[in-house]
Amino acid sequence: MDIKQLIHDDDAVSPVIGVILMVAITVILAAVIASFVLGLGDQAQQATPQASFSWDYEQDDPSHTTGNVTITHDGGDSIEAQQLYIRGDFDDSSNTTAGSWGSYKTSSVSGASDVSAGQSISPGVGDQYDLRVIYEPQEGDTSATLAQDTGPQA
């Protein structure tokens, strides 16, 4: 073995290892690009359900400022009742705590675990209420406001 040749040898990696590294980098890069193009990365994220709600306020008595607001699921995705919350300002001393949809009595199906089209609730409110229907999954890492309404005097 010639020591002079070993010192002057400039090859850092053999050509076979270089080709293997280039193929590996190309395959990894192609997999990353394909996942973005085909939308595989979006499936890992949790999707917010799409649903529409209607609001109908009924005053108890013309001389009182209290009443009931009926919140009806009009259409869209079915959502678990324990993932829907009614939050905001009820403006009524008899109903000061917000709760999940399931904590209110549903008028069309009592004790339902899923909220689907046609189901409604009627919490007591004042005429200056400001309420929101909020979707919050069990993991609790995100939330989304699905509907919002204010009272006639708000």
Side-chain angles (χ1 to χ4, degrees):
M1 180 178 214
D2 188 14
I3 294 185
K4 288 183 180 181
Q5 184 184 4
L6 188 62
I7 292 173
H8 294 293
D9 191 9
D10 293 338
D11 291 339
V13 180
S14 71
V16 173
I17 293 176
V19 169
I20 292 172
L21 287 174
M22 290 300 289
V23 169
I25 290 172
T26 304
V27 168
I28 291 171
L29 187 62
V32 169
I33 291 172
S35 70
F36 282 114
V37 169
L38 298 175
L40 299 176
D42 294 339
Q43 291 177 355
Q45 295 179 354
Q46 193 171 20
T48 302
Q50 301 296 316
S52 62
F53 294 87
S54 63
W55 303 75
D56 184 31
Y57 175 73
E58 251 181 63
Q59 196 169 10
D60 288 339
D61 185 344
S63 63
H64 294 104
T65 60
T66 61
N68 288 318
V69 63
T70 302
I71 307 168
T72 305
H73 183 285
D74 285 336
D77 297 332
S78 291
I79 307 167
E80 286 186 42
Q82 297 305 318
Q83 293 180 343
L84 280 181
Y85 292 88
I86 311 302
R87 294 195 178 128
D89 183 13
F90 285 84
D91 189 46
D92 180 13
S93 61
S94 67
N95 191 2
T96 58
T97 59
S100 69
W101 185 284
S103 66
Y104 296 100
K105 179 180 178 282
T106 59
S107 63
S108 55
V109 180
S110 72
S113 61
D114 282 349
V115 178
S116 57
Q119 294 181 345
S120 61
I121 58 172
S122 297
V125 295
D127 60 0
Q128 295 182 14
Y129 70 88
D130 182 15
L131 298 178
R132 294 176 303 283
V133 175
I134 297 177
Y135 167 75
E136 186 174 306
Q138 297 296 332
E139 295 82 29
D141 56 348
T142 60
S143 65
T145 301
L146 300 179
Q148 183 173 354
D149 192 46
T150 56
Q153 299 298 322

